[in-house]
Amino acid sequence: MTSRTPRDSRLHLVRTPSPRAERRAEAERGHGRGPLGGPGAVTQRRARRPAPVPPEGTPAPAELARMARAGLAGAVRAARWAENALRPAPGTTRLSAADRPTAAPATPCAAGALSDAVAEQAAAALDVTVHQLRKDWDAARLAGLVEVHGTAARPGWRLRAWDRDDAAVLRGWVALFDAWSLAHPAPAELPPATVAETVEAVPQLLSFLQLSAGPVPVPQLLDLLDQRVRELRTERCEIPYGPQEEPRAEGDPGPPHADDVPLADLLDWALRALAAVDALTCADGQATLTPLGSWAVWVKLEQICVAAQSPAGNIEQSAEDMLRGCARLRPNAARAEYRAWLAARDAGSAVTELLDAARGEDALLRGLAFEALRVVGAPAEPDVRAVVDVASLRPYALLWLAEHEGTDPEDVHLVLTREESTWLWVDTAAAVADHGEAELLVRHLESAPQPTVPALLDEVRTVGHPRTVQVLVALAAAHPDPALAKAVRRAAFQVHTGGV
């Protein structure tokens, strides 16, 4: 038995393997056993569609990464300056309020903005204007080069891997590309409703640009935007209800209405914002995707196609059904499914769906939901932090936040109290009892936070997990040691009757 809660298993069941265990696991993989050991488990050895090939003319990944590094050079400089200049002085644990980035409370897109004093200090050190420095800082945050937690900033893992890991660079650029409307916010005079419609319509414009494989006249994009916005308004089929707006005085135009805002202004903003993140170029009245932009759009289209062609058709499923469809996939295959499912949805609604699935009674879905949230990354942080006080989600949320904040994987289990670790052990055991093999449930004893079985049973009886009795009964039935099985059955009876 060990006091650690492993990180790399979706169900927190597998300890750091010994060479013997690795050989055994390899043998099991050779026999097509899934993570829960079921005979029908889907493995990564099953027949797959051939690996997709990027469109002809797409640069090699190394060249794409070079382009991304060039486009984000200013963001990297700002992040490295912050890493060196804003680190706590020796003997201190936090930055002073005057010398650290501050979180502006107004809107999410303003969170983590540098204070005026720090921005001026950084601009002088890097020999750029304050305006440019703030743009570079925003790009660094959106690309994951800098992570802001409350009022403290720290370098993100991508910054540490920037010079040696092309995949990390490309993922950082794609994160910025996904956040184009935050990197270059819409003018204040544009109504939020029309801005939201434009953001929702832009993926269709980008897909058209990618499939066109060349320059597209802006008027053609304007016609496409107009068509898509009309479709969105028709789909909403909004019917006014509640108190209606009072008639305006003669000559008072009132606030701009969605239909009154020229789509040309919205398209101009969107194209300039996408150009600012190096996704496209505009010249002579035509828009063209950059190699990076074309590659990113192709990747997202491929993710959607892969999900649509998967046996379970996960892209069309609810979060709960998608997680069930991924339950017997190996971790890498499951993460690919999560990414494809997420690519077809707005991040906010996807996170809400995943957390709703995690609140259910199925402990397996709880663990898988937080694995999917790990794929979401930073956009999920506020919602995960909001469920820390939900008893059934607290251990998972605390582990997720610790990993997101860069806690060493060897130490991540330390964020949980003994009681929380025991609760998580029972919850994981419930998942195994419902979906796994008896042998796996017996092996789960090794991951308990208590050093002995009697100590585990003592604490399990008081932890208050609603599945405690069922877990102990299943463990007693599965364990080959008669004496231990008897002790576990006795504990189950005591929990059931409320005895000690």
Side-chain angles (χ1 to χ4, degrees):
M1 302 179 75
T2 179
S3 61
R4 287 184 177 174
T5 301
R7 176 177 183 269
D8 292 333
S9 168
R10 287 181 290 160
L11 294 178
H12 302 281
L13 300 180
V14 182
R15 296 167 57 189
T16 302
S18 64
R20 180 179 178 183
E22 288 180 345
R23 288 194 296 271
R24 179 179 179 181
E26 186 62 34
E28 290 180 350
R29 285 194 293 271
H31 287 83
R33 297 172 68 88
L36 292 178
V42 179
T43 74
Q44 290 169 311
R45 298 182 62 189
R46 72 180 189 271
R48 301 191 216 169
R49 69 195 288 258
V53 179
E56 185 177 353
T58 301
E63 178 62 15
L64 290 170
R66 185 195 65 77
M67 296 176 184
R69 286 188 177 97
L72 287 169
V76 172
R77 291 181 67 208
R80 287 184 171 148
W81 176 87
E83 179 182 15
N84 295 321
L86 301 183
R87 64 177 52 176
T92 65
T93 58
R94 301 189 64 183
L95 302 172
S96 66
D99 294 330
R100 65 189 179 208
T102 57
T107 59
C109 65
L114 291 172
S115 67
D116 291 341
V118 173
E120 291 173 4
Q121 180 186 354
L126 299 177
D127 194 23
V128 296
T129 64
V130 172
H131 176 70
Q132 182 62 47
L133 184 280
R134 290 192 181 280
K135 288 178 60 178
D136 290 341
W137 177 258
D138 287 342
R141 289 190 303 109
L142 295 171
L145 298 168
V146 172
E147 296 175 358
V148 177
H149 303 282
T151 57
R154 70 178 68 179
W157 69 270
R158 286 192 180 119
L159 182 64
R160 296 190 290 272
W162 196 253
D163 293 328
R164 56 180 170 77
D165 189 340
D166 289 348
V169 172
L170 291 175
R171 288 176 181 175
W173 185 85
V174 169
L176 177 63
F177 168 65
D178 288 339
W180 63 269
S181 60
L182 301 182
H184 192 84
E189 62 269 17
L190 293 178
T194 59
V195 170
E197 289 172 340
T198 302
V199 172
E200 193 171 352
V202 158
Q204 185 167 329
L205 272 62
L206 292 172
S207 299
F208 182 74
L209 282 166
Q210 200 276 334
L211 294 172
S212 299
V216 174
V218 171
Q220 192 171 356
L221 292 176
L222 183 59
D223 289 342
L224 186 59
L225 177 63
D226 178 68
Q227 177 184 337
R228 182 58 181 146
V229 168
R230 290 179 186 276
E231 290 174 353
L232 291 171
R233 293 174 182 173
T234 301
E235 289 169 4
R236 285 199 306 268
C237 192
E238 295 175 346
I239 301 175
Y241 65 95
Q244 300 300 304
E245 181 180 308
E246 292 292 334
R248 295 192 296 269
E250 185 176 352
D252 178 12
H257 188 269
D259 293 331
D260 300 331
V261 179
L263 285 180
D265 292 348
L266 293 160
L267 179 62
D268 178 66
W269 160 67
L271 294 178
R272 285 188 291 106
L274 289 163
V277 298
D278 295 328
L280 55 76
T281 59
C282 280
D284 301 325
Q286 294 182 315
T288 309
L289 287 179
T290 64
L292 272 173
S294 178
W295 168 80
V297 175
W298 171 79
V299 167
K300 292 182 179 298
L301 290 173
E302 274 300 312
Q303 288 175 341
I304 294 173
C305 290
V306 168
Q309 295 178 18
S310 67
N314 288 319
I315 194 172
E316 302 291 342
Q317 303 299 322
S318 66
E320 182 173 335
D321 291 338
M322 180 273 294
L323 293 172
R324 291 190 190 282
C326 294
R328 291 191 178 275
L329 294 177
R330 293 192 181 279
N332 286 343
R335 281 190 288 271
E337 291 289 306
Y338 301 150
R339 280 191 287 268
W341 186 84
L342 291 164
R345 286 162 175 77
D346 171 76
S349 62
V351 170
T352 300
E353 270 199 72
L354 290 169
L355 287 174
D356 286 344
R359 286 185 173 92
E361 296 182 358
D362 194 329
L364 176 61
L365 295 191
R366 201 155 23 250
L368 295 179
F370 276 86
E371 283 303 307
L373 289 169
R374 286 179 173 87
V375 175
V376 177
E381 181 182 1
D383 296 273
V384 173
R385 205 173 287 282
V387 300
V388 165
D389 293 330
V390 179
S392 62
L393 304 184
R394 179 175 175 80
Y396 295 97
L398 291 175
L399 290 173
W400 189 99
L401 291 168
E403 293 174 14
H404 176 67
E405 292 171 0
T407 302
D408 190 305
E410 292 295 318
D411 298 329
V412 71
H413 66 285
L414 298 176
V415 303
L416 301 182
T417 64
R418 182 67 160 261
E419 183 180 5
E420 290 163 349
S421 295
T422 302
W423 197 100
L424 180 60
W425 184 90
V426 177
D427 203 51
T428 303
V432 180
D434 290 342
H435 301 278
E437 292 181 342
E439 178 187 356
L440 194 57
L441 184 59
V442 173
R443 286 166 50 196
H444 182 46
L445 272 174
E446 299 177 4
S447 68
Q450 292 77 12
T452 66
V453 171
L456 169 66
L457 296 178
D458 285 343
E459 295 187 24
V460 161
R461 282 196 291 259
T462 61
V463 78
H465 194 289
R467 296 289 305 280
T468 299
V469 173
Q470 294 94 322
V471 164
L472 293 178
V473 169
L475 181 58
H479 207 285
D481 184 337
L484 189 147
K486 181 178 180 181
V488 173
R489 278 194 298 271
R490 185 185 304 115
F493 179 76
Q494 290 171 342
V495 174
H496 178 63
T497 59
V500 178

